[in-house]
Amino acid sequence: MEFNWEWWVEQQIRQAQAEGKFDHLEGKGKPLKLDPEDATDPAQALAHRLLHDRGLLPAWLELEQHIVDEIRLARRTLLRSYHWCEWALAQPGADEAQVKGRWREAVAAFQDALEKINAQILTFNLELPPVLAHRQRPRLKLEDELRWLGLPDELARP
């Protein structure tokens, strides 16, 4: 079996994001310094100059930030549900079937969120300027997300 470098690199990036390692980078929250001379298309160079002069971000970059925010929200929501389910299962007299049903609902809601995020990722990948094709984002998969978050498909009583 061949090692999946793309998946491994993506997991490293996701882990760094979750740990907040990108939260305090120099220039965060400031307009990009897009050099119009770097654009291969004259119209793109003009667009970059206009965006830069007005302190705005290109639509694809705003979409990428929105995607990152949505991923964080979906992950936090699922983690919160998991911790509640763990707590509920540990309570005396807990209705195991009901708690496990809640977990399945939380996973299904997470899957729905991933589908919406994946639609945004597709739009993002299509809107990227051709010179930035290397920045395309991979689609999110439920199994990979659960594994990355360290969460099970099904709950087990502690």
Side-chain angles (χ1 to χ4, degrees):
M1 185 165 131
E2 187 176 319
F3 186 76
N4 186 339
W5 282 102
E6 182 179 335
W7 179 85
W8 182 82
V9 169
E10 182 65 25
Q11 295 309 312
Q12 298 300 310
I13 292 169
R14 288 181 185 181
Q15 183 175 355
Q17 285 175 326
E19 293 171 358
K21 292 185 178 178
F22 297 127
D23 291 347
H24 303 292
L25 294 176
E26 182 179 339
K28 181 180 178 183
K30 296 179 184 172
L32 285 178
K33 294 180 181 174
L34 297 173
D35 186 356
E37 304 307 318
D38 290 342
T40 56
D41 177 14
Q44 191 175 20
L46 176 61
H48 284 182
R49 183 172 291 116
L50 290 172
L51 290 170
H52 179 268
D53 292 347
R54 286 163 180 77
L56 301 173
L57 294 176
W60 60 267
L61 198 52
E62 287 181 0
L63 179 57
E64 183 178 38
Q65 185 56 55
H66 178 73
I67 289 168
V68 168
D69 292 344
E70 290 296 313
I71 292 169
R72 284 184 185 150
L73 176 62
R75 287 175 178 165
R76 272 197 312 264
T77 301
L78 186 64
L79 283 169
R80 194 171 26 250
S81 294
Y82 176 73
H83 292 304
W84 179 86
C85 288
E86 275 190 323
W87 172 84
L89 280 177
Q91 301 307 304
D95 183 344
E96 186 173 349
Q98 182 182 17
V99 174
K100 287 183 176 185
R102 288 276 182 99
W103 175 243
R104 285 189 293 277
E105 290 171 7
V107 172
F110 184 68
Q111 176 65 43
D112 290 344
L114 290 183
E115 289 174 14
K116 290 175 184 168
I117 292 167
N118 281 333
Q120 294 172 344
I121 287 173
L122 176 61
T123 301
F124 169 77
N125 289 343
L126 292 172
E127 289 181 0
L128 269 176
V131 297
L132 297 175
H134 64 280
R135 289 196 52 183
Q136 288 191 353
R137 297 182 69 90
R139 291 175 50 89
L140 302 175
K141 298 177 186 167
L142 178 63
E143 300 78 26
D144 292 342
E145 289 293 312
L146 290 173
R147 183 175 48 247
W148 184 78
L149 292 168
L151 299 177
D153 289 337
E154 291 291 325
L155 287 177
R157 189 178 269 281

